[in-house]
Amino acid sequence: REARAGLAGCTLLLLSRAWFFQVFDKGMSMLTELHLKVFQRSSSLNAVLANRHSRAIYSNYLKSQRQLHLLDFCTAVQRYGLVHKDGFVALARNLSDDLVLDFVRADAPRRVP
């Protein structure tokens, strides 16, 4: 069912819950954005990072908390995982060394807790 809202040209749709989740469940990133913006529920970190809109929201939040290096760390770990899974052993080893130097060592410039 559809209802129009005055001069603003807004449309309000009445959808069944089953149909709604059938549509949005196909794209995990769409559902993640919906959870974060509309329902204000939590979502997995991988799903948040996979969607450019939810990633931007998370990035802005981390900036406000002066914790943007955590997003850099997650991105670096994700990159390492993809490279390692694809069998690029030497490159994966270099990435893991960079992870340790940048984020893990006690004197790392962007140390994560």
Side-chain angles (χ1 to χ4, degrees):
R1 209 182 314 159
E2 181 179 345
R4 297 230 177 247
L7 298 175
C10 297
T11 300
L12 177 64
L13 297 174
L14 179 62
L15 307 172
S16 72
R17 179 180 288 229
W19 188 87
F20 177 83
F21 281 111
Q22 181 182 356
V23 169
F24 279 95
D25 208 25
K26 290 185 186 335
M28 181 55 85
S29 61
M30 289 172 54
L31 191 57
T32 297
E33 185 175 357
L34 187 69
H35 275 217
L36 294 174
K37 286 184 175 177
V38 178
F39 298 139
Q40 297 181 353
R41 293 183 189 155
S42 63
S43 190
S44 75
L45 181 59
N46 284 337
V48 169
L49 297 179
N51 178 283
R52 67 182 172 95
H53 298 294
S54 60
R55 184 184 185 100
I57 293 168
Y58 188 53
S59 176
N60 288 336
Y61 170 76
L62 289 176
K63 282 180 192 174
S64 75
Q65 301 296 311
R66 299 177 189 256
Q67 298 291 316
L68 191 56
H69 64 283
L70 295 176
L71 183 59
D72 296 336
F73 174 71
C74 292
T75 303
V77 168
Q78 196 174 39
R79 186 178 309 121
Y80 167 80
L82 291 172
V83 167
H84 188 269
K85 183 180 83 171
D86 288 342
F88 297 104
V89 178
L91 181 56
R93 188 172 300 122
N94 288 341
L95 289 174
S96 68
D97 290 344
D98 291 344
L99 275 166
V100 170
L101 290 172
D102 289 344
F103 301 104
V104 178
R105 288 179 30 165
D107 62 343
R110 299 181 291 169
R111 191 167 196 286
V112 294

